[in-house]
Amino acid sequence: EIAGQIIAMPINSALNLNGIITLNGTAQTLWKALESGVESTDELVGVLTSEYDVSEELAREAAESFVSKLRELDFLD
């Protein structure tokens, strides 16, 4: 976390990314939840619906998309 922003930088040489990834507010909320031990999509949905005025359906789409992207980039096991 730098100046209140969560920034992800690839350290795996197999990952072909240039630069850094800056997370928006929703992604930061999900990132922090994952860091704190939240593991299931349902838990991530709960985090989003408690933090934001958002439907469960939209929260689920955001959580699933975020986790999918992290897996695609090999940020998650």
Side-chain angles (χ1 to χ4, degrees):
E1 190 168 342
I2 300 173
Q5 295 289 322
I6 295 179
I7 301 191
M9 299 181 344
I11 57 172
N12 180 346
S13 61
L15 191 59
N16 188 15
L17 289 178
N18 294 321
I20 58 175
I21 299 167
T22 303
L23 305 180
N24 67 19
T26 304
Q28 287 186 48
T29 299
L30 291 170
W31 185 277
K32 288 179 181 179
L34 291 169
E35 277 187 324
S36 73
V38 169
E39 293 183 5
S40 75
T41 301
D42 288 339
E43 289 176 299
L44 291 173
V45 169
V47 167
L48 289 179
T49 56
S50 68
E51 183 77 20
Y52 300 99
D53 182 22
V54 63
S55 70
E56 186 174 320
E57 180 181 346
L58 189 57
R60 184 167 303 280
E61 288 174 20
E64 288 173 350
S65 174
F66 182 71
V67 169
S68 175
K69 190 64 171 178
L70 290 179
R71 284 198 173 107
E72 176 187 323
L73 294 172
D74 206 21
F75 280 20
L76 294 176
D77 294 332

